[in-house]
Amino acid sequence: YNKIILPNATYMIDNNPIDIPSGVTLDLGGSTIKMCPITGNGALMMRMTDCTDTHLCNGTIEGDYFAHDYANSTSNSEWVSGVEMGGSCRYCSIRDLTIKNITGYGLQNSISSTSHNGNTFYGAIKVADLEQGDIDRETGQNISCSYRLRSGISNISAYQGNSEFISMSIHLNYQGNEFNSWNYFMYFYDSGNNFIKAVSAYQYRQVKIPQNAYYVRIVILGERLKSNWNLHYQFFRVPTHCEFRNVTIDNARCVGMAQGQMKDFLVQDCIITNSGQSSATCSYDAEDGWDGMQDAFFENFRIYGFLTCAGHNFVINNMHSDAIYMWERTRWAVIKNSTFDTGCVIRGGGEANIVQHGVTRFYNNTVLAPDY
């Protein structure tokens, strides 16, 4: 079966999440899924993890906001959440849904620390020592250069069979860029050190691994040196080509919608009200994904408080919010045709010694009552 329709009713669940499998549309049929009161810091009502073509729609998800045992729950009960889309979901959606009375986060997406398909995180491979110089793109041999840095040889044979893709960047932490450019070249060699090809690449973005590639070298277009650059592929087990559409979130105590790592993600025709009463204190929060939040598109969004701490290429069109808060590490943002009630964009809070790049563009926006 590829579709399940629930009889219209109210279904009470405990703090064990309902997992929606890959390839299935779960149509709630107008039903309400309601969480029984719990004691504890963490819980999740429904989730899809590492799914392809999975959809949740047409109903209400209701948390234990009014009956939760706050007094005996640690850490502000922050992670008692509603719905999650996690891991390497592809072509999935959460749509035509009401999420309300959630103790923690209403709707969220990100990587997952564990998955029924195996580990999400894999040990990063350190980029071999950097030195001044370049590599010939036709031969793969060293050449002189006074304004670029090249690496030694890193063995990536462990990636064969685990991932088609690889990337180069700072490993986790707050990430960012400490070179003069985001661009770099990746050089692939076979097990006999024979040159295969060179690829133009971009930090945190995926590069397809050529067949029979065994070793990698890097040329960075910049002169700043940092020691914790790594090769990895865990960033690609994130929701990609997915959407939240026509979702109304009301009374989510910590954050209405919390998005972490994602790629090519659409949020359309969504409304968030009365959310963000504690913790992040905003309706929308794109935070913990850092530079792994890429190509996010927001259309017809109605919220109170839009916050991004990082991310690449956020495009916002026709949003209505009290204000928008974007750290300078949100790069290449586009904000257009939007209305802000009480404030303009605030940008700041970047990390020291990180090169800032990325132009933010504003088109045809209205601030009704600017006070800063």
Side-chain angles (χ1 to χ4, degrees):
Y1 298 94
N2 61 10
K3 187 171 185 178
I4 299 169
I5 304 177
L6 293 185
N8 192 331
T10 296
Y11 298 88
M12 303 298 294
I13 64 172
D14 59 16
N15 60 347
N16 294 305
I18 296 173
D19 283 297
I20 310 171
S22 188
V24 169
T25 295
L26 177 56
D27 186 333
L28 299 182
S31 295
T32 295
I33 307 295
K34 183 174 173 62
M35 177 183 281
C36 294
I38 70 165
T39 300
N41 175 49
L44 184 62
M45 295 182 66
M46 305 189 74
R47 69 184 174 191
M48 54 184 75
T49 305
D50 293 343
C51 293
T52 300
D53 193 22
T54 294
H55 310 278
L56 171 64
C57 62
N58 191 23
T60 298
I61 309 297
E62 183 173 357
D64 70 336
Y65 182 102
F66 293 107
H68 184 77
D69 185 358
Y70 297 98
N72 295 303
S73 301
T74 60
S75 301
N76 198 29
S77 302
E78 183 176 357
W79 298 285
V80 183
S81 301
V83 184
E84 178 182 86
M85 178 188 292
S88 56
C89 282
R90 298 290 187 271
Y91 311 106
C92 296
S93 72
I94 295 171
R95 62 178 189 263
D96 305 322
L97 205 68
T98 296
I99 301 172
K100 66 179 184 178
N101 301 335
I102 303 296
T103 300
Y105 301 99
L107 178 59
Q108 62 195 38
N109 71 265
S110 190
I111 55 179
S112 299
S113 58
T114 58
S115 164
H116 52 267
N117 288 339
N119 292 331
T120 298
F121 290 101
Y122 297 88
I125 297 175
K126 187 175 179 60
V127 173
D129 291 341
L130 297 171
E131 63 180 9
Q132 192 174 74
D134 201 350
I135 301 174
D136 188 276
R137 297 200 63 187
E138 300 298 325
T139 66
Q141 299 297 312
N142 288 352
I143 56 177
S144 298
C145 183
S146 61
Y147 52 86
R148 292 182 178 179
L149 294 172
R150 67 181 174 221
S151 77
I153 296 175
S154 298
N155 187 330
I156 61 166
S157 60
Y159 286 179
Q160 295 292 351
N162 288 316
S163 177
E164 295 182 84
F165 302 98
I166 191 171
S167 73
M168 189 279 294
S169 66
I170 296 176
H171 180 62
L172 300 181
N173 301 318
Y174 286 106
Q175 302 183 65
N177 172 30
E178 295 225 1
F179 293 94
N180 295 331
S181 173
W182 290 82
N183 301 85
Y184 71 97
F185 298 115
M186 186 172 283
Y187 295 77
F188 294 96
Y189 303 80
D190 66 17
S191 59
N193 277 316
N194 299 302
F195 179 58
I196 299 175
K197 66 183 298 187
V199 177
S200 298
Y202 199 86
Q203 291 177 46
Y204 301 100
R205 296 279 182 166
Q206 64 186 29
V207 175
K208 188 171 178 61
I209 302 173
Q211 189 174 4
N212 299 322
Y214 201 93
Y215 298 110
V216 156
R217 298 183 69 191
I218 302 295
V219 168
I220 296 172
L221 310 187
E223 299 181 71
R224 187 187 293 265
L225 185 62
K226 189 173 177 63
S227 61
N228 66 341
W229 292 89
N230 292 271
L231 302 165
H232 41 65
Y233 61 99
Q234 76 273 15
F235 290 113
F236 311 126
R237 298 192 65 181
V238 303
T240 304
H241 315 308
C242 296
E243 68 176 14
F244 297 155
R245 184 191 295 268
N246 193 29
V247 177
T248 296
I249 302 172
D250 181 61
N251 203 33
R253 179 170 164 268
C254 290
V255 174
M257 186 182 297
Q259 292 195 273
Q261 294 203 17
M262 56 184 167
K263 289 173 62 67
D264 190 20
F265 207 105
L266 175 65
V267 178
Q268 186 171 42
D269 300 325
C270 293
I271 299 172
I272 306 176
T273 55
N274 194 32
S275 298
Q277 303 153 24
S278 67
S279 297
T281 63
C282 60
S283 293
Y284 178 89
D285 184 13
E287 182 172 350
D288 293 331
W290 301 102
D291 292 278
M293 301 182 291
Q294 302 169 3
D295 306 329
F297 301 88
F298 303 87
E299 292 276 346
N300 307 327
F301 206 10
R302 301 293 180 267
I303 62 173
Y304 186 90
F306 185 92
L307 169 66
T308 67
C309 294
H312 296 195
N313 190 32
F314 280 35
V315 180
I316 299 165
N317 182 45
N318 191 26
M319 181 172 75
H320 192 158
S321 177
D322 71 317
I324 180 170
Y325 307 87
M326 304 186 84
W327 287 20
E328 56 194 343
R329 291 178 60 174
T330 306
R331 300 175 171 95
W332 309 280
V334 178
I335 300 102
K336 59 184 180 179
N337 306 320
S338 296
T339 300
F340 306 105
D341 292 336
T342 61
C344 300
V345 175
I346 296 176
R347 301 183 69 233
E351 300 296 319
N353 301 319
I354 290 182
V355 175
Q356 306 295 334
H357 289 282
V359 176
T360 300
R361 295 174 173 85
F362 304 89
Y363 302 99
N364 195 34
N365 299 297
T366 300
V367 178
L368 298 179
D371 55 9
Y372 51 86

